[in-house]
Amino acid sequence: MANTPGIPKGTRDFSPEILAKRNYIFDIIKDVFKKFAYRQLETPAMENLSTLTGKYGEEGDKLLFKILNSGNFLKKVTDPELQERDTKKMAHLVAEKGLRYDLTVPFARYVVQHQNEITFPFKRFQIQPVWRADRPQKGRYREFYQCDADIIGSYSLINELEIVQMIDEVFTKLNLEVTIKINNRKLLAGIAERIGYPEKLIDLTVAIDKLDKIGLEKVYEELRLAGISDDAINFLEPILNLGGSFNDQMQCIERFIGETETGVTGIVETEKLFSYLDMFKFNNNIELDLTLARGLTYYTGAIFEVISDEIQIGSICGGGRYDDLTGIFGLKGVSGVGISFGADRIFDVMENLNRFPEDTTSSVKLMFVNFGQKEEKYCLPVLQKLRQNGINSEIFPDSSKMKKQMKYANSNKIPYVALAGENEMQENKFTLKNMETGEQQLVTAAEMIKALT
RNA sequence: GUGGUUGUAGUUCAGUUGGUUAGAACGCCUGAUUGUGGUUCAGGAGGUCGUGGGUUCAAAUCCCAUCUUCCACCCCA
């Protein structure tokens, strides 16, 4: 045990079985992204540390993995600095690169860097791992995948509509029932303004976001802690307890924030988005949820979150509109809207509910049993032909005992085995065995190809 | 960053108040079965008890440190 090697905290190996399942999810997401005309982008695992720092708040900076400079990484550090042991100050001296923390900031960097080559609006999707030096726990890893799609350079609410359509299609294809929650940051901003604390929008959203997790009382407590007066909190109550139909909710909101400028914009946007949504039929529930806030500070318009109806695991997909993502890199006035699927959590849900199709893990269709040199030579050309016909297949490389070979096929879930010995070779045929039913039949190579296609 | 928790075979776990050679199940390998996997039966391999130090005649067991696992908080996907 002490001698067996391991992997770093919060990381995982993906066995062929798990990877097959994960790819099943990725392929569905990827196909939907492509169908909606998003094009794939990849960025390097590492970015310049200066690109990453300061984008995720102070907490986020702490969670960045930094890469030690090559060579003498202490070259730039002076003796007094070394004595001081101020790691925060020293970090940029010994590390100039860091692992990406999400896909959005590298995307923003890409857009700004290549702004002259890009034709706007620009639609891209990106499926890559990200790294966070977080303390791992349930559903939380130091290396995990994000599946992002963003459109940047368009204010149209058609983009929001399409985001919802994509979400609906992905989860329909995955055979999962979900609820798509929609809100708008401008509504929240209107509320903050109305209760007299426009500058507390972030505190307000962070607190409201926890409503279904910690309950009303604790939310009030957080709001008080943030310095919001009891009067204002009481004033807020009807909004937090909002229910009923979309129209009821909108009426109530209108009464509440109808006089604030941002609030009105929020109402117009939300009503327009829902009027688009009304044009189509969706397989999943779509609801307006005023308590949906989402932590990310850069959202400015519509926000989305998806939760499973069948299992409690938190949000499995989220996104929203941001008006100034590239501003931090000096490119102003580019609005975008994006969505991110949490592949790892979707995996957990699928696994829990047993929703992966049976044949996900077995990509190999057939194995030739190896009886010896003469038989190998008889099988190899046929194997080649199967492969040319797009049938994933293999021959057991050694003429080991039959039992060992069958066991190999069995444990790798290979559905068919082909046997060719003296008898078969004389007739120029193969015995094709169905591993599941145990049935066997004598067939020609052509018949075998036909049976497996 | 804070609090708790875990560590013994490939895996999941037993292991008494400290006391002979540390066990089980599953998995793996071999055989029963020289052209047939899953079932059955028999046999076999596999452990520096996370690591380092301490207490003791004696430590998987007690103490300290450290690493690790998992969980909650903060934050987040």
Side-chain angles (χ1 to χ4, degrees):
Chain A
M1 193 68 172
N3 297 328
T4 49
I7 54 174
K9 201 196 273 206
T11 65
R12 296 155 295 164
D13 282 325
F14 295 99
S15 66
E17 290 75 24
I18 294 176
L19 206 47
K21 292 176 173 176
R22 200 182 71 184
N23 281 335
Y24 172 76
I25 297 175
F26 283 172
D27 287 345
I28 285 177
I29 293 174
K30 203 187 277 185
D31 284 349
V32 172
F33 284 166
K34 282 185 188 167
K35 192 186 286 186
F36 281 78
Y38 287 76
R39 291 180 300 150
Q40 189 161 17
L41 173 75
E42 287 202 3
T43 61
M46 60 185 98
E47 291 278 345
N48 290 330
L49 206 49
S50 58
T51 302
L52 300 173
T53 43
K55 309 299 187 296
Y56 310 103
E58 206 168 316
E59 283 294 324
D61 282 359
K62 275 192 246 165
L63 299 181
L64 286 173
F65 273 111
K66 298 164 194 77
I67 298 172
L68 216 46
N69 291 339
S70 345
N72 179 8
F73 52 82
L74 282 177
K75 201 164 50 191
K76 292 182 187 165
V77 186
T78 62
D79 283 353
E81 279 167 336
L82 212 54
Q83 288 291 320
E84 210 180 320
R85 290 176 186 276
D86 185 340
T87 47
K88 225 163 135 190
K89 231 163 81 183
M90 220 154 85
H92 74 277
L93 295 172
V94 296
E96 283 162 1
K97 298 178 286 296
L99 294 176
R100 66 166 166 258
Y101 179 90
D102 68 2
L103 300 178
T104 312
V105 167
F107 172 54
R109 186 225 86 219
Y110 175 89
V111 169
V112 176
Q113 191 178 332
H114 299 272
Q115 50 185 291
N116 294 326
E117 304 149 35
I118 294 172
T119 312
F120 291 97
F122 180 51
K123 296 165 90 166
R124 83 87 172 79
F125 77 88
Q126 197 167 350
I127 299 177
Q128 288 190 276
V130 303
W131 294 269
R132 296 184 188 177
D134 207 351
R135 194 170 291 201
Q137 54 179 283
K138 197 188 184 85
R140 219 162 186 202
Y141 307 98
R142 295 182 126 178
E143 179 187 62
F144 62 96
Y145 271 81
Q146 289 192 332
C147 313
D148 280 27
D150 290 82
I151 172 164
I152 195 163
S154 161
Y155 286 96
S156 167
L157 286 170
I158 289 176
N159 302 313
E160 272 86 339
L161 164 71
E162 291 198 338
I163 294 266
V164 177
Q165 286 178 318
M166 288 199 292
I167 295 171
D168 188 61
E169 187 168 339
V170 164
F171 288 107
T172 302
K173 283 191 166 154
L174 288 172
N175 192 20
L176 292 177
E177 283 165 36
V178 299
T179 296
I180 304 168
K181 294 180 170 188
I182 300 175
N183 194 8
N184 193 306
R185 266 289 163 82
K186 293 197 179 80
L187 297 177
L188 293 168
I191 292 166
E193 201 176 314
R194 183 73 171 79
I195 64 169
Y197 292 95
E199 79 286 356
K200 298 269 192 207
L201 175 62
I202 299 302
D203 292 319
L204 189 74
T205 52
V206 168
I208 290 178
D209 197 34
K210 293 180 186 165
L211 186 63
D212 39 334
K213 203 172 163 189
I214 62 176
L216 203 58
E217 280 309 311
K218 296 256 171 159
V219 169
Y220 288 169
E221 212 175 295
E222 289 228 354
L223 289 173
R224 267 181 227 118
L225 232 73
I228 293 172
S229 75
D230 284 352
D231 283 353
I233 292 171
N234 289 334
F235 198 38
L236 201 62
E237 187 160 350
I239 290 291
L240 294 181
N241 286 318
L242 206 59
S245 72
F246 174 73
N247 285 332
D248 291 349
Q249 291 197 46
M250 283 315 283
Q251 267 173 27
C252 178
I253 294 163
E254 202 157 347
R255 276 201 301 278
F256 197 80
I257 57 171
E259 279 141 41
T260 63
E261 198 185 320
T262 0
V264 170
T265 319
I267 290 170
V268 170
E269 283 181 13
T270 307
E271 278 176 343
K272 189 164 182 197
L273 173 57
F274 274 82
S275 79
Y276 276 137
L277 293 172
D278 274 344
M279 293 168 61
F280 302 95
K281 206 183 163 317
F282 294 91
N283 294 311
N284 292 290
N285 304 317
I286 298 173
E287 58 184 46
L288 176 71
D289 182 356
L290 261 206
T291 68
L292 169 65
R294 298 196 51 79
L296 289 172
T297 51
Y298 49 71
Y299 290 131
T300 51
I303 40 185
F304 310 100
E305 187 163 278
V306 179
I307 54 164
S308 166
D309 292 342
E310 301 165 284
I311 205 165
Q312 274 222 320
I313 194 162
S315 125
I316 51 178
C317 172
R321 171 164 299 268
Y322 38 83
D323 279 338
D324 196 26
L325 188 67
T326 53
I328 36 174
F329 296 117
L331 183 62
K332 301 264 187 232
V334 182
S335 181
V337 51
I339 186 76
S340 179
F341 288 87
D344 300 82
R345 283 193 183 163
I346 293 173
F347 183 97
D348 290 347
V349 174
M350 297 279 292
E351 191 77 325
N352 255 297
L353 296 171
N354 214 357
R355 291 291 159 77
F356 287 107
E358 271 297 312
D359 58 357
T360 308
T361 47
S362 55
S363 69
V364 180
K365 276 265 178 59
L366 175 124
M367 183 196 85
F368 285 91
V369 171
N370 189 330
F371 283 118
Q373 276 191 345
K374 212 162 58 183
E375 291 84 350
E376 274 173 18
K377 287 200 172 136
Y378 177 74
C379 292
L380 282 171
V382 180
L383 173 61
Q384 168 85 333
K385 218 174 230 166
L386 288 181
R387 288 175 174 160
Q388 282 168 349
N389 277 275
I391 299 164
N392 300 348
S393 45
E394 66 180 321
I395 180 166
F396 198 88
D398 309 291
S399 60
S400 314
K401 282 206 175 126
M402 182 85 157
K403 177 169 172 141
K404 188 177 164 71
Q405 301 194 31
M406 293 300 280
K407 206 167 178 179
Y408 172 86
N410 193 51
S411 64
N412 283 306
K413 298 197 173 78
I414 299 171
Y416 291 96
V417 161
L419 302 113
E422 282 299 330
N423 301 340
E424 286 88 350
M425 290 201 295
Q426 241 164 45
E427 289 189 59
N428 204 22
K429 287 189 173 171
F430 293 85
T431 296
L432 182 65
K433 177 178 171 119
N434 181 323
M435 288 297 278
E436 205 180 327
T437 62
E439 277 169 40
Q440 300 190 178
Q441 59 188 125
L442 201 60
V443 296
T444 64
E447 285 166 341
M448 187 153 71
I449 290 169
K450 211 176 152 200
L452 295 173
T453 332

